[in-house]
């Protein structure tokens, strides 16, 4: 089998890149380790920057997003039993974010790919990358007991943090940067109306809490928990009680409780791998970087990586130049590190750290007090939250 770009991974990165390339007639094949159902069963954040929405529109996968997504012109910070709205619209000259589940983004992109008759091999086993340091890379994978080979011009490693692509890079060719946070997020989905019309990020001495949503009738909540905590230790009642203890009275009173239909604990880490290109292999999205979800940047960083790589490949195949693919890693990393910094800053400002105690709590409250009283500081927060320029 032969294609132009072999894409590893059928998450947002791989699917979005595949659709953009298909739009200019570049052939791709996506090799996905899991089943379609398994990919769609993942629950992930869904706060989309305008650039991401526009990119989804460019590939014709934004109809449901525009119909069902929730435009948000602001969000609130809660601390010392008070609520402070960050007016994104006023602070950024009219920019906003859209709340729309990442699972839905993935679903919409999968439907577009299938409708165009493009090839995705699900349950592709033992995907392996070969000769990407030369001009004739290829990928092998197992399916139905047979090992298949795909010859290609380029390989896009869109296979996430645990994927094979980054691990295929020769030792010593990669520099990684990592910070593991000393806590996790316990997340709950429930078919109940959200506590507020926008998101609420809460700093509290008992720990961080977040009030989010998937729609006007489906809510997503998180509370900070110990790294080694177990979901089994959290009944719904315990979760709702702890959540409300961490929220200002006005918001706590607005929380509608109900049975959770999804409950999970996720670790928090910051991770960056440099560079993001090795010959004919490009690392994209979570394969190259991970941010704590506090800044809701994961999906949006994947989108900007894809945009940069797409324009480089477009110019290469148009016979223009290699400049775009040569510049990909540097350009992507410049934006990645700004988002990594913002996500780290939001995380350190809002969470309870075991080693900083009451002094650390007072410092966080002082920073939050300054933030909500200073237009300059709020503007800096708002600019990063809606997304820095691509
Ligand atoms: N072979 C083939 N596919 C693989 C392999 C492998 N060895 N390893 C992982 N995959 C698949 C996973 O099953 C997954 O479907 O690659 C896909 C990677 O998707 P994501 O992890 O969603 O990463 P990405 O597409 O970059 O999207 C980043 O999704 O994970 C969230 O928070 C993250 O919002 C961010 C966005
Ligand atoms: C979510 O809705 O899952 C969500 C929203 C915003 C975040 C993180 C998660 O910062």
């Amino acid at each position: 089998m032969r294609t132009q770009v072999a894409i590893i991974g059928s998450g947002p990165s791989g699917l979005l890149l595949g659709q953009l390339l298909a739009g200019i007639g570049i052939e791709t094949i996506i090799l996905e380790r899991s089943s379609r159902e398994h990919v769609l069963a993942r629950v992930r954040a869904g706060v989309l920057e305008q650039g991401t929405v526009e990119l989804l529109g460019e590939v014709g996968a934004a109809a449901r997003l525009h119909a069902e997504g929730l435009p948000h012109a602001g969000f609130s910070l809660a601390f010392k039993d008070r609520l402070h709205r960050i007016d994104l619209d006023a602070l950024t000259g009219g920019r906003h974010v859209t709340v729309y589940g990442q699972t839905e983004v993935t679903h919409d992109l999968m439907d577009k790919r299938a409708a165009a008759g493009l090839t995705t091999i699900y349950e592709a086993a033992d995907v392996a990358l070969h000769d990407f340091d030369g001009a004739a890379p290829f990928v092998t994978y197992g399916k139905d007991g047979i090992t298949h080979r795909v010859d290609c011009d380029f390989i896009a490693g869109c296979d996430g943090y645990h994927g094979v692509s980054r691990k295929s890079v020769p030792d010593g060719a990669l520099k990684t940067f990592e910070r593991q946070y000393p806590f996790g997020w316990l997340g709950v989905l429930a078919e109940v109306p959200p506590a507020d019309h926008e998101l609420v990020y809460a700093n509290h001495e008992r720990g961080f809490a977040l009030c989010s949503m998937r729609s006007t009738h489906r809510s997503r909540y998180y509370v900070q928990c110990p790294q080694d905590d177990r979901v089994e230790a959290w009944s719904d009642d315990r979760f709702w009680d702890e959540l409300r203890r961490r929220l200002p009275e006005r918001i706590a009173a607005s929380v509608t409780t109900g049975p959770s239909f999804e409950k999970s604990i996720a670790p928090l880490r910051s991770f960056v791998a440099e560079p993001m290109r090795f010959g004919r292999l490009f690392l994209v999205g979570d394969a190259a970087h991970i941010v704590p979800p506090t800044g809701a940047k994961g999906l949006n960083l994947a989108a900007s990586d894809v945009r940069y790589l797409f324009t480089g490949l477009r110019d290469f195949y148009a016979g223009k130049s290699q400049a775009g693919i040569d510049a990909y890693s540097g350009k992507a990393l410049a934006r990645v590190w700004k988002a990594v910094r913002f996500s780290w800053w939001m995380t350190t400002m809002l969470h309870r750290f075991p080693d900083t105690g009451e002094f650390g709590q007072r410092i966080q409250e002082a920073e939050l007090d300054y933030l909500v009283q200073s237009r300059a500081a709020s503007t800096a927060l708002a600019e990063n939250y809606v997304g820095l320029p691509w």
Side-chain angles (χ1 to χ4, degrees), residues 8-14 31-34 38-39 42 44-45 102 124 127 158-164 284-287 297-300 302:
I8 317 299
S10 178
S13 297
L31 301 178
E32 166 56 53
R33 170 171 68 180
S34 304
H38 183 87
V39 175
R42 294 189 193 115
R44 288 197 177 131
Q102 180 182 302
V127 171
C158 302
D159 47 347
Y161 180 73
H162 300 288
V164 65
V284 186
D286 275 18
K297 288 299 164 201
L299 176 55
N300 297 296

Side-chain angles (χ1 to χ4, degrees), residues 32 58 116 134 243:
E32 166 56 53
E58 208 173 302
L243 172 74

Side-chain angles (χ1 to χ4, degrees), residues 107-343:
H107 203 295
D108 296 339
L109 286 167
M110 281 180 173
D111 289 351
K112 281 299 285 186
R113 185 168 180 86
L118 300 174
T119 305
T120 297
I121 307 291
Y122 291 102
E123 296 174 289
D126 306 320
V127 171
L129 287 59
H130 309 272
D131 294 354
F132 50 81
D133 55 349
F138 66 97
V139 181
T140 54
Y141 68 93
K143 183 79 175 175
D144 305 327
I146 299 168
T147 297
H148 300 265
R149 171 176 168 142
V150 181
D151 289 283
C152 52
D153 299 331
F154 298 100
I155 304 171
C158 302
D159 47 347
Y161 180 73
H162 300 288
V164 65
S165 296
R166 191 180 70 250
K167 294 166 188 163
S168 302
V169 173
D171 287 344
L174 202 67
K175 181 169 180 55
T176 60
F177 306 81
E178 182 154 16
R179 169 154 300 183
Q180 183 83 39
Y181 296 91
F183 39 73
W185 277 17
L186 168 65
V188 155
L189 271 175
E191 207 67 32
V192 294
D196 196 28
H197 68 297
E198 295 173 332
L199 272 58
V200 178
Y201 292 79
N203 169 288
H204 191 276
E205 58 191 10
R206 295 179 63 86
F208 169 79
L210 171 59
C211 305
S212 184
M213 61 196 77
R214 290 291 177 269
S215 68
T216 53
H217 55 78
R218 177 170 294 184
S219 294
R220 178 66 162 169
Y221 289 106
Y222 298 93
V223 295
Q224 173 185 345
C225 65
Q227 260 177 318
D228 58 359
D229 210 341
R230 296 176 303 106
V231 172
E232 297 73 28
W234 287 86
S235 67
D236 283 354
D237 286 348
R238 181 188 175 197
F239 177 84
W240 294 120
D241 289 346
E242 186 59 37
L243 172 74
R244 284 178 294 196
R245 294 179 72 171
R246 299 184 185 186
L247 297 172
E249 180 50 39
R250 180 170 82 75
I251 289 291
S254 305
V255 170
T256 304
T257 64
S260 65
F261 64 87
E262 198 278 338
K263 192 183 290 174
S264 54
I265 292 179
L268 271 69
R269 73 163 55 86
S270 297
F271 173 84
V272 180
E274 292 185 356
M276 291 171 58
R277 180 211 182 170
F278 306 89
R280 295 288 179 120
L281 167 63
F282 300 95
L283 299 181
V284 186
D286 275 18
H289 42 74
I290 294 286
V291 286
T294 326
K297 288 299 164 201
L299 176 55
N300 297 296
L301 272 184
S304 49
D305 287 355
V306 166
R307 158 63 81 189
Y308 297 144
L309 180 55
F310 165 69
T311 50
L313 291 170
R314 179 195 60 198
D315 293 352
F316 173 86
Y317 280 111
K320 287 178 189 164
S321 81
Q322 290 217 157
I325 54 177
D326 292 344
Y328 165 70
S329 179
K331 198 169 182 181
L333 284 167
R335 191 169 195 272
V336 163
W337 274 111
K338 294 185 181 75
V340 167
R341 181 213 63 86
F342 173 67
S343 305

Side-chain angles (χ1 to χ4, degrees), residues 86-109:
I86 300 295
D87 187 341
L88 298 174
D89 187 77
L91 291 166
T92 64
R95 295 172 67 200
H96 62 278
V97 294
T98 303
V99 173
Y100 184 69
Q102 180 182 302
T103 307
E104 308 316 315
V105 171
T106 305
H107 203 295
D108 296 339
L109 286 167

